[in-house]
Each structure stands twice: as C-alpha cells, then as structure tokens.
Amino acid sequence: MAAFFAELQACSRPATTIRSYGMDLLRWWRFLAGWEVGWDRATRQHARDFARWMQIAPKPAPIHWRHRGADEMSPAPAARRAAGVPNAVTGRPGPGRLYSESTRAHCETVLRSFYAFHLEEGTGPIINPFPAARERRRLPMAAGRSARQSAGGRYRPLVPHRLPRRIPDGHFNDLVAALRHNRDRALLAFWVSNGARASELLTSRQRDPCPASNCSG
C-alpha cells in the first residue's frame, strides 16, 4: 500500500488525486472486509460483485460535523436531492443517492492500476482481479478510430459524453458588473479563458508561472 502511494507521489500527482485514490481503495477494502477476504486474496468474482454493488448500492449519507454523535439528527440517504435536478445557475445536476458512472469508472481504474502495480512488483496476487477488457472486433476505417479499440477495464462502466456546462450570459455579466476593481476582473478573465480546473486555480502560487521563458517541460 505504502509503495503504491509513494509511486504516485513520485509521479507528482496532486494531493487531491492521491486522496481520491485512497477513497476508492478504502471503499474496496470495506467491501472485502464484509466477506472476510484479504486484498491479496481477492478474485475476479469479488471484483465483478464489487462493480455490481457500486451500481445498485446507495452512497453513505454525509453527517454534518455538528450532528456527529447524535444519531437522531443524522440525515438519511433519502434526504438527498434527487439526481437530475440541475442547479438553476450552473446547470449541474444534484448528487443522487447512487454512485455515478464517472465515480464507478474512476474506482475501477484505480483498483486495476493498484493490482497491476503489485503484480509488477511481485507483492500481490498473480492474477489481477480487475482485468483489462478484451479487444473489440475490428471497426471500419470510416468510424475514425483505430482498427482495434480497447474499452479499458472489463468491469468499467460506460461513461456518457456530457456537454460542457456554463452559466447563462446574463449571470456572467452580472458577476463582472459586481466586481469593483480591475484586478478582480483581470483574475476572472484569466480563470475563464485558460480552462484550468478549480483545484488548479485554488492551489496556484505566485512563483508557479514563468513569464520569462517557455516552461513547457
């Protein structure tokens, strides 16, 4: 376990990515604990059942820090806002009670890479419980894809392609008009135009950019 996360840190993965890997592994660990199976004894049947469980099991309801220790005040999973109800401004759908396709796909990728790492190091099972998908049939050249296409993991769900979300132009104009200083307007224009993630913008520092040279490497 420690060697796997050390490899992630050596690859300069951000802290948010490492944390997401840890949460996916913790979810897998808890699933195996219910069957009293060690991580190095897991089989492909366990992996298949885990993929199916994530498809139908509700997500654990988060408990506010004020309500911890008071079971009668803990929110129930049914109190979540139904999935598909979009935010009035951003259009982002509310979190549902079940795991989304992107969450399940990310978890499968993490676990497959985790076992692939230990398989290469010789510290895990000799067979990866999360195998790669078999190669699909040959696709016509008119499809604009390679002759053979792999779907990634065998237990990886199909993630639908989503259109980029944006706030309406009127709300964006109101946001710009509410700013009082040109510095704030310049920062907003920079954030919107470069396409960076919110986590990248929030963790950026003054010493990160290199205006005097082309810092592509």
Side-chain angles (χ1 to χ4, degrees):
M1 178 71 70
F4 177 71
F5 283 99
E7 182 71 15
L8 293 178
Q9 293 178 349
C11 296
S12 300
R13 297 292 180 90
T16 54
T17 300
I18 297 178
R19 182 182 183 278
S20 67
Y21 274 49
M23 297 302 293
D24 289 335
L25 289 171
L26 178 60
R27 190 181 299 114
W28 169 243
W29 249 248
R30 289 175 174 173
F31 177 83
L32 293 178
W35 295 95
E36 298 182 353
V37 176
W39 71 272
D40 54 346
R41 299 294 180 181
T43 63
R44 293 185 175 178
Q45 181 178 359
H46 295 114
R48 182 197 60 192
D49 294 343
F50 176 73
R52 176 57 180 167
W53 172 81
M54 285 197 66
Q55 187 177 5
I56 63 177
K59 294 184 292 187
I63 301 177
H64 196 275
W65 62 270
R66 294 179 179 176
H67 300 161
R68 291 178 182 175
D71 296 336
E72 66 276 5
M73 300 181 64
S74 300
R80 290 177 177 266
R81 184 156 56 101
V85 179
N87 185 285
V89 177
T90 64
R92 180 176 182 178
R97 292 184 295 133
L98 301 179
Y99 293 102
S100 63
E101 294 86 353
S102 58
T103 300
R104 292 187 284 121
H106 183 270
C107 187
E108 189 276 337
T109 302
V110 170
L111 296 177
R112 179 157 43 90
S113 61
F114 172 79
Y115 280 100
F117 170 80
H118 283 283
L119 181 62
E120 182 178 355
E121 296 292 326
T123 55
I126 60 176
I127 297 179
N128 192 334
F130 294 86
R134 299 185 181 93
E135 290 183 339
R136 295 180 178 179
R137 61 179 178 83
R138 292 188 177 274
L139 299 173
M141 298 303 296
R145 290 173 288 184
S146 58
R148 286 186 180 271
Q149 184 184 53
S150 175
R154 186 179 302 178
Y155 306 129
R156 180 182 178 88
L158 180 63
V159 180
H161 294 282
R162 300 176 181 176
L163 296 176
R165 296 187 302 268
R166 65 180 182 87
I167 64 175
D169 294 340
H171 288 82
F172 184 79
N173 294 335
D174 294 340
L175 176 61
V176 175
L179 300 177
R180 299 182 178 180
H181 305 284
N182 291 331
R183 179 201 62 182
D184 298 335
R185 299 187 184 94
L187 287 174
L188 179 62
F190 168 72
W191 293 339
V192 174
S193 61
N194 62 8
R197 299 179 180 177
S199 59
E200 296 172 346
L201 295 174
L202 294 175
T203 56
S204 61
R205 298 166 296 181
Q206 186 177 3
R207 66 180 183 180
D208 291 339
C210 303
S213 61
N214 184 12
C215 299
S216 58

mmCIF file with all atom_site columns, all heavy atoms in Angstrom, residues 44-58:
data_model
loop_
_atom_site.group_PDB
_atom_site.id
_atom_site.type_symbol
_atom_site.label_atom_id
_atom_site.label_alt_id
_atom_site.label_comp_id
_atom_site.label_asym_id
_atom_site.label_entity_id
_atom_site.label_seq_id
_atom_site.pdbx_PDB_ins_code
_atom_site.Cartn_x
_atom_site.Cartn_y
_atom_site.Cartn_z
_atom_site.occupancy
_atom_site.B_iso_or_equiv
_atom_site.pdbx_formal_charge
_atom_site.auth_seq_id
_atom_site.auth_comp_id
_atom_site.auth_asym_id
_atom_site.auth_atom_id
_atom_site.pdbx_PDB_model_num
ATOM 1   N N   . ARG A 1 44 ? -11.511 -12.432 -9.309  1.00 0.00 ? 44 ARG A N   1
ATOM 2   C CA  . ARG A 1 44 ? -12.301 -11.677 -10.276 1.00 0.00 ? 44 ARG A CA  1
ATOM 3   C C   . ARG A 1 44 ? -13.786 -11.747 -9.969  1.00 0.00 ? 44 ARG A C   1
ATOM 4   O O   . ARG A 1 44 ? -14.547 -10.851 -10.356 1.00 0.00 ? 44 ARG A O   1
ATOM 5   C CB  . ARG A 1 44 ? -12.012 -12.186 -11.689 1.00 0.00 ? 44 ARG A CB  1
ATOM 6   C CG  . ARG A 1 44 ? -10.588 -11.891 -12.125 1.00 0.00 ? 44 ARG A CG  1
ATOM 7   C CD  . ARG A 1 44 ? -10.328 -12.274 -13.561 1.00 0.00 ? 44 ARG A CD  1
ATOM 8   N NE  . ARG A 1 44 ? -8.989  -11.854 -13.950 1.00 0.00 ? 44 ARG A NE  1
ATOM 9   C CZ  . ARG A 1 44 ? -8.451  -12.076 -15.146 1.00 0.00 ? 44 ARG A CZ  1
ATOM 10  N NH1 . ARG A 1 44 ? -9.166  -12.719 -16.080 1.00 0.00 ? 44 ARG A NH1 1
ATOM 11  N NH2 . ARG A 1 44 ? -7.235  -11.659 -15.423 1.00 0.00 ? 44 ARG A NH2 1
ATOM 12  N N   . GLN A 1 45 ? -14.203 -12.790 -9.264  1.00 0.00 ? 45 GLN A N   1
ATOM 13  C CA  . GLN A 1 45 ? -15.598 -12.847 -8.849  1.00 0.00 ? 45 GLN A CA  1
ATOM 14  C C   . GLN A 1 45 ? -15.895 -11.756 -7.829  1.00 0.00 ? 45 GLN A C   1
ATOM 15  O O   . GLN A 1 45 ? -16.950 -11.119 -7.879  1.00 0.00 ? 45 GLN A O   1
ATOM 16  C CB  . GLN A 1 45 ? -15.909 -14.221 -8.251  1.00 0.00 ? 45 GLN A CB  1
ATOM 17  C CG  . GLN A 1 45 ? -17.360 -14.372 -7.816  1.00 0.00 ? 45 GLN A CG  1
ATOM 18  C CD  . GLN A 1 45 ? -17.660 -15.757 -7.275  1.00 0.00 ? 45 GLN A CD  1
ATOM 19  O OE1 . GLN A 1 45 ? -16.781 -16.619 -7.235  1.00 0.00 ? 45 GLN A OE1 1
ATOM 20  N NE2 . GLN A 1 45 ? -18.896 -15.968 -6.850  1.00 0.00 ? 45 GLN A NE2 1
ATOM 21  N N   . HIS A 1 46 ? -14.960 -11.504 -6.902  1.00 0.00 ? 46 HIS A N   1
ATOM 22  C CA  . HIS A 1 46 ? -15.140 -10.413 -5.953  1.00 0.00 ? 46 HIS A CA  1
ATOM 23  C C   . HIS A 1 46 ? -15.165 -9.064  -6.682  1.00 0.00 ? 46 HIS A C   1
ATOM 24  O O   . HIS A 1 46 ? -15.964 -8.180  -6.334  1.00 0.00 ? 46 HIS A O   1
ATOM 25  C CB  . HIS A 1 46 ? -14.024 -10.422 -4.911  1.00 0.00 ? 46 HIS A CB  1
ATOM 26  C CG  . HIS A 1 46 ? -14.038 -11.627 -4.025  1.00 0.00 ? 46 HIS A CG  1
ATOM 27  N ND1 . HIS A 1 46 ? -13.026 -12.571 -4.050  1.00 0.00 ? 46 HIS A ND1 1
ATOM 28  C CD2 . HIS A 1 46 ? -14.934 -12.059 -3.108  1.00 0.00 ? 46 HIS A CD2 1
ATOM 29  C CE1 . HIS A 1 46 ? -13.291 -13.515 -3.172  1.00 0.00 ? 46 HIS A CE1 1
ATOM 30  N NE2 . HIS A 1 46 ? -14.447 -13.233 -2.582  1.00 0.00 ? 46 HIS A NE2 1
ATOM 31  N N   . ALA A 1 47 ? -14.296 -8.906  -7.652  1.00 0.00 ? 47 ALA A N   1
ATOM 32  C CA  . ALA A 1 47 ? -14.266 -7.653  -8.402  1.00 0.00 ? 47 ALA A CA  1
ATOM 33  C C   . ALA A 1 47 ? -15.556 -7.440  -9.185  1.00 0.00 ? 47 ALA A C   1
ATOM 34  O O   . ALA A 1 47 ? -16.087 -6.321  -9.242  1.00 0.00 ? 47 ALA A O   1
ATOM 35  C CB  . ALA A 1 47 ? -13.062 -7.636  -9.337  1.00 0.00 ? 47 ALA A CB  1
ATOM 36  N N   . ARG A 1 48 ? -16.073 -8.503  -9.768  1.00 0.00 ? 48 ARG A N   1
ATOM 37  C CA  . ARG A 1 48 ? -17.337 -8.388  -10.506 1.00 0.00 ? 48 ARG A CA  1
ATOM 38  C C   . ARG A 1 48 ? -18.480 -8.036  -9.561  1.00 0.00 ? 48 ARG A C   1
ATOM 39  O O   . ARG A 1 48 ? -19.316 -7.187  -9.877  1.00 0.00 ? 48 ARG A O   1
ATOM 40  C CB  . ARG A 1 48 ? -17.617 -9.702  -11.222 1.00 0.00 ? 48 ARG A CB  1
ATOM 41  C CG  . ARG A 1 48 ? -18.892 -9.706  -12.062 1.00 0.00 ? 48 ARG A CG  1
ATOM 42  C CD  . ARG A 1 48 ? -19.299 -11.119 -12.393 1.00 0.00 ? 48 ARG A CD  1
ATOM 43  N NE  . ARG A 1 48 ? -19.562 -11.890 -11.173 1.00 0.00 ? 48 ARG A NE  1
ATOM 44  C CZ  . ARG A 1 48 ? -19.707 -13.216 -11.143 1.00 0.00 ? 48 ARG A CZ  1
ATOM 45  N NH1 . ARG A 1 48 ? -19.584 -13.912 -12.258 1.00 0.00 ? 48 ARG A NH1 1
ATOM 46  N NH2 . ARG A 1 48 ? -19.943 -13.829 -9.996  1.00 0.00 ? 48 ARG A NH2 1
ATOM 47  N N   . ASP A 1 49 ? -18.521 -8.688  -8.398  1.00 0.00 ? 49 ASP A N   1
ATOM 48  C CA  . ASP A 1 49 ? -19.572 -8.386  -7.425  1.00 0.00 ? 49 ASP A CA  1
ATOM 49  C C   . ASP A 1 49 ? -19.439 -6.964  -6.892  1.00 0.00 ? 49 ASP A C   1
ATOM 50  O O   . ASP A 1 49 ? -20.442 -6.290  -6.620  1.00 0.00 ? 49 ASP A O   1
ATOM 51  C CB  . ASP A 1 49 ? -19.520 -9.382  -6.271  1.00 0.00 ? 49 ASP A CB  1
ATOM 52  C CG  . ASP A 1 49 ? -19.868 -10.794 -6.705  1.00 0.00 ? 49 ASP A CG  1
ATOM 53  O OD1 . ASP A 1 49 ? -20.460 -10.951 -7.792  1.00 0.00 ? 49 ASP A OD1 1
ATOM 54  O OD2 . ASP A 1 49 ? -19.536 -11.745 -5.966  1.00 0.00 ? 49 ASP A OD2 1
ATOM 55  N N   . PHE A 1 50 ? -18.206 -6.492  -6.747  1.00 0.00 ? 50 PHE A N   1
ATOM 56  C CA  . PHE A 1 50 ? -17.994 -5.126  -6.281  1.00 0.00 ? 50 PHE A CA  1
ATOM 57  C C   . PHE A 1 50 ? -18.493 -4.119  -7.307  1.00 0.00 ? 50 PHE A C   1
ATOM 58  O O   . PHE A 1 50 ? -19.121 -3.103  -6.944  1.00 0.00 ? 50 PHE A O   1
ATOM 59  C CB  . PHE A 1 50 ? -16.507 -4.915  -6.008  1.00 0.00 ? 50 PHE A CB  1
ATOM 60  C CG  . PHE A 1 50 ? -16.158 -3.508  -5.618  1.00 0.00 ? 50 PHE A CG  1
ATOM 61  C CD1 . PHE A 1 50 ? -16.484 -3.014  -4.364  1.00 0.00 ? 50 PHE A CD1 1
ATOM 62  C CD2 . PHE A 1 50 ? -15.496 -2.669  -6.505  1.00 0.00 ? 50 PHE A CD2 1
ATOM 63  C CE1 . PHE A 1 50 ? -16.168 -1.710  -3.999  1.00 0.00 ? 50 PHE A CE1 1
ATOM 64  C CE2 . PHE A 1 50 ? -15.168 -1.374  -6.152  1.00 0.00 ? 50 PHE A CE2 1
ATOM 65  C CZ  . PHE A 1 50 ? -15.509 -0.897  -4.892  1.00 0.00 ? 50 PHE A CZ  1
ATOM 66  N N   . ALA A 1 51 ? -18.235 -4.377  -8.577  1.00 0.00 ? 51 ALA A N   1
ATOM 67  C CA  . ALA A 1 51 ? -18.719 -3.483  -9.634  1.00 0.00 ? 51 ALA A CA  1
ATOM 68  C C   . ALA A 1 51 ? -20.244 -3.464  -9.661  1.00 0.00 ? 51 ALA A C   1
ATOM 69  O O   . ALA A 1 51 ? -20.862 -2.404  -9.860  1.00 0.00 ? 51 ALA A O   1
ATOM 70  C CB  . ALA A 1 51 ? -18.158 -3.915  -10.983 1.00 0.00 ? 51 ALA A CB  1
ATOM 71  N N   . ARG A 1 52 ? -20.853 -4.616  -9.450  1.00 0.00 ? 52 ARG A N   1
ATOM 72  C CA  . ARG A 1 52 ? -22.305 -4.677  -9.407  1.00 0.00 ? 52 ARG A CA  1
ATOM 73  C C   . ARG A 1 52 ? -22.841 -3.985  -8.156  1.00 0.00 ? 52 ARG A C   1
ATOM 74  O O   . ARG A 1 52 ? -23.869 -3.292  -8.209  1.00 0.00 ? 52 ARG A O   1
ATOM 75  C CB  . ARG A 1 52 ? -22.748 -6.141  -9.433  1.00 0.00 ? 52 ARG A CB  1
ATOM 76  C CG  . ARG A 1 52 ? -24.251 -6.355  -9.305  1.00 0.00 ? 52 ARG A CG  1
ATOM 77  C CD  . ARG A 1 52 ? -25.013 -5.633  -10.386 1.00 0.00 ? 52 ARG A CD  1
ATOM 78  N NE  . ARG A 1 52 ? -26.462 -5.845  -10.260 1.00 0.00 ? 52 ARG A NE  1
ATOM 79  C CZ  . ARG A 1 52 ? -27.371 -5.143  -10.908 1.00 0.00 ? 52 ARG A CZ  1
ATOM 80  N NH1 . ARG A 1 52 ? -26.988 -4.169  -11.730 1.00 0.00 ? 52 ARG A NH1 1
ATOM 81  N NH2 . ARG A 1 52 ? -28.650 -5.393  -10.745 1.00 0.00 ? 52 ARG A NH2 1
ATOM 82  N N   . TRP A 1 53 ? -22.151 -4.136  -7.032  1.00 0.00 ? 53 TRP A N   1
ATOM 83  C CA  . TRP A 1 53 ? -22.582 -3.496  -5.791  1.00 0.00 ? 53 TRP A CA  1
ATOM 84  C C   . TRP A 1 53 ? -22.552 -1.979  -5.912  1.00 0.00 ? 53 TRP A C   1
ATOM 85  O O   . TRP A 1 53 ? -23.471 -1.291  -5.458  1.00 0.00 ? 53 TRP A O   1
ATOM 86  C CB  . TRP A 1 53 ? -21.687 -3.950  -4.649  1.00 0.00 ? 53 TRP A CB  1
ATOM 87  C CG  . TRP A 1 53 ? -21.928 -3.215  -3.362  1.00 0.00 ? 53 TRP A CG  1
ATOM 88  C CD1 . TRP A 1 53 ? -22.912 -3.447  -2.444  1.00 0.00 ? 53 TRP A CD1 1
ATOM 89  C CD2 . TRP A 1 53 ? -21.168 -2.108  -2.860  1.00 0.00 ? 53 TRP A CD2 1
ATOM 90  N NE1 . TRP A 1 53 ? -22.813 -2.552  -1.403  1.00 0.00 ? 53 TRP A NE1 1
ATOM 91  C CE2 . TRP A 1 53 ? -21.756 -1.726  -1.626  1.00 0.00 ? 53 TRP A CE2 1
ATOM 92  C CE3 . TRP A 1 53 ? -20.052 -1.417  -3.317  1.00 0.00 ? 53 TRP A CE3 1
ATOM 93  C CZ2 . TRP A 1 53 ? -21.259 -0.668  -0.866  1.00 0.00 ? 53 TRP A CZ2 1
ATOM 94  C CZ3 . TRP A 1 53 ? -19.566 -0.365  -2.568  1.00 0.00 ? 53 TRP A CZ3 1
ATOM 95  C CH2 . TRP A 1 53 ? -20.158 -0.003  -1.359  1.00 0.00 ? 53 TRP A CH2 1
ATOM 96  N N   . MET A 1 54 ? -21.508 -1.426  -6.533  1.00 0.00 ? 54 MET A N   1
ATOM 97  C CA  . MET A 1 54 ? -21.434 0.016   -6.719  1.00 0.00 ? 54 MET A CA  1
ATOM 98  C C   . MET A 1 54 ? -22.531 0.520   -7.645  1.00 0.00 ? 54 MET A C   1
ATOM 99  O O   . MET A 1 54 ? -22.911 1.690   -7.590  1.00 0.00 ? 54 MET A O   1
ATOM 100 C CB  . MET A 1 54 ? -20.077 0.424   -7.279  1.00 0.00 ? 54 MET A CB  1
ATOM 101 C CG  . MET A 1 54 ? -18.944 0.391   -6.285  1.00 0.00 ? 54 MET A CG  1
ATOM 102 S SD  . MET A 1 54 ? -17.512 1.345   -6.854  1.00 0.00 ? 54 MET A SD  1
ATOM 103 C CE  . MET A 1 54 ? -18.187 3.008   -6.852  1.00 0.00 ? 54 MET A CE  1
ATOM 104 N N   . GLN A 1 55 ? -23.065 -0.342  -8.478  1.00 0.00 ? 55 GLN A N   1
ATOM 105 C CA  . GLN A 1 55 ? -24.118 0.069   -9.402  1.00 0.00 ? 55 GLN A CA  1
ATOM 106 C C   . GLN A 1 55 ? -25.470 0.196   -8.715  1.00 0.00 ? 55 GLN A C   1
ATOM 107 O O   . GLN A 1 55 ? -26.310 1.016   -9.127  1.00 0.00 ? 55 GLN A O   1
ATOM 108 C CB  . GLN A 1 55 ? -24.213 -0.938  -10.549 1.00 0.00 ? 55 GLN A CB  1
ATOM 109 C CG  . GLN A 1 55 ? -25.149 -0.537  -11.666 1.00 0.00 ? 55 GLN A CG  1
ATOM 110 C CD  . GLN A 1 55 ? -25.142 -1.543  -12.798 1.00 0.00 ? 55 GLN A CD  1
ATOM 111 O OE1 . GLN A 1 55 ? -24.498 -2.601  -12.705 1.00 0.00 ? 55 GLN A OE1 1
ATOM 112 N NE2 . GLN A 1 55 ? -25.848 -1.239  -13.866 1.00 0.00 ? 55 GLN A NE2 1
ATOM 113 N N   . ILE A 1 56 ? -25.709 -0.579  -7.643  1.00 0.00 ? 56 ILE A N   1
ATOM 114 C CA  . ILE A 1 56 ? -27.031 -0.605  -7.022  1.00 0.00 ? 56 ILE A CA  1
ATOM 115 C C   . ILE A 1 56 ? -27.027 -0.103  -5.585  1.00 0.00 ? 56 ILE A C   1
ATOM 116 O O   . ILE A 1 56 ? -28.091 0.183   -5.031  1.00 0.00 ? 56 ILE A O   1
ATOM 117 C CB  . ILE A 1 56 ? -27.616 -2.032  -7.053  1.00 0.00 ? 56 ILE A CB  1
ATOM 118 C CG1 . ILE A 1 56 ? -26.734 -2.986  -6.236  1.00 0.00 ? 56 ILE A CG1 1
ATOM 119 C CG2 . ILE A 1 56 ? -27.759 -2.524  -8.481  1.00 0.00 ? 56 ILE A CG2 1
ATOM 120 C CD1 . ILE A 1 56 ? -27.278 -4.398  -6.149  1.00 0.00 ? 56 ILE A CD1 1
ATOM 121 N N   . ALA A 1 57 ? -25.846 0.014   -4.944  1.00 0.00 ? 57 ALA A N   1
ATOM 122 C CA  . ALA A 1 57 ? -25.792 0.393   -3.535  1.00 0.00 ? 57 ALA A CA  1
ATOM 123 C C   . ALA A 1 57 ? -25.884 1.910   -3.399  1.00 0.00 ? 57 ALA A C   1
ATOM 124 O O   . ALA A 1 57 ? -25.275 2.648   -4.175  1.00 0.00 ? 57 ALA A O   1
ATOM 125 C CB  . ALA A 1 57 ? -24.502 -0.112  -2.900  1.00 0.00 ? 57 ALA A CB  1
ATOM 126 N N   . PRO A 1 58 ? -26.638 2.408   -2.404  1.00 0.00 ? 58 PRO A N   1
ATOM 127 C CA  . PRO A 1 58 ? -26.689 3.860   -2.176  1.00 0.00 ? 58 PRO A CA  1
ATOM 128 C C   . PRO A 1 58 ? -25.406 4.359   -1.536  1.00 0.00 ? 58 PRO A C   1
ATOM 129 O O   . PRO A 1 58 ? -24.734 3.635   -0.798  1.00 0.00 ? 58 PRO A O   1
ATOM 130 C CB  . PRO A 1 58 ? -27.888 4.022   -1.237  1.00 0.00 ? 58 PRO A CB  1
ATOM 131 C CG  . PRO A 1 58 ? -27.974 2.722   -0.512  1.00 0.00 ? 58 PRO A CG  1
ATOM 132 C CD  . PRO A 1 58 ? -27.526 1.671   -1.496  1.00 0.00 ? 58 PRO A CD  1
#
